[in-house]
Amino acid sequence: QVQLVESGGGLVQAGGSLRLSCTASGSTFSINAMGWYRQAPGKQRELVATISSGGSTNYADSVKGRFTISRDNAKNTVYLQMNSLKPEDTAEYYCNAKKSSGSYVLVYWGQGTQVTVSS
């Protein structure tokens, strides 16, 4: 099992910045990709950014150029630096980790951290 604990959410004005952190614990070996997803009220959960164990990144078009995902493999921690925040970035942000287990891929989620951007 893998446990994911997020931190760093909060209330910020438009144009401001926040940094989210997510630390994995438990059976963390063979964790491959980690990432961030978000879900706004009444909307489906959507991908924000992912990063592979080798450092390859992928971003949603809506956050490209504003958000940066990074990873410290030694600390089993993934970060999301969010700059130039907009009210439409308001959502619950969830950390995600994918772990290889034989021929399967196990998916783990954190409990979420709220980000609120005021206009």
Side-chain angles (χ1 to χ4, degrees):
Q1 285 282 358
V2 174
Q3 294 78 42
L4 301 173
V5 178
E6 302 111 330
S7 62
L11 172 64
V12 65
Q13 288 189 329
S17 298
L18 282 174
R19 189 193 195 206
L20 305 182
S21 300
C22 171
T23 299
S25 62
S27 182
T28 59
F29 64 92
S30 296
I31 286 180
N32 299 321
M34 296 186 73
W36 292 93
Y37 290 69
R38 66 187 182 187
Q39 187 168 17
K43 295 188 177 181
Q44 289 189 330
R45 190 171 297 188
E46 63 178 5
L47 180 146
V48 176
T50 62
I51 185 168
S52 72
S53 56
S56 297
T57 58
N58 180 48
Y59 294 93
D61 287 343
S62 60
V63 306
K64 282 181 181 176
R66 300 188 299 122
F67 291 10
T68 302
I69 190 170
S70 61
R71 181 171 177 173
D72 186 334
N73 289 330
K75 296 182 178 179
N76 293 312
T77 299
V78 63
Y79 305 96
L80 186 68
Q81 178 65 44
M82 304 185 293
N83 298 328
S84 302
L85 282 160
K86 304 175 181 180
E88 51 263 44
D89 294 317
T90 294
E92 189 82 7
Y93 282 70
Y94 296 91
C95 179
N96 169 279
K98 293 182 172 67
K99 174 182 162 76
S100 297
S101 179
S103 59
Y104 297 94
V105 175
L106 305 177
V107 181
Y108 299 92
W109 293 94
Q111 81 285 354
T113 185
Q114 178 67 37
V115 172
T116 303
V117 185
S118 63
S119 57

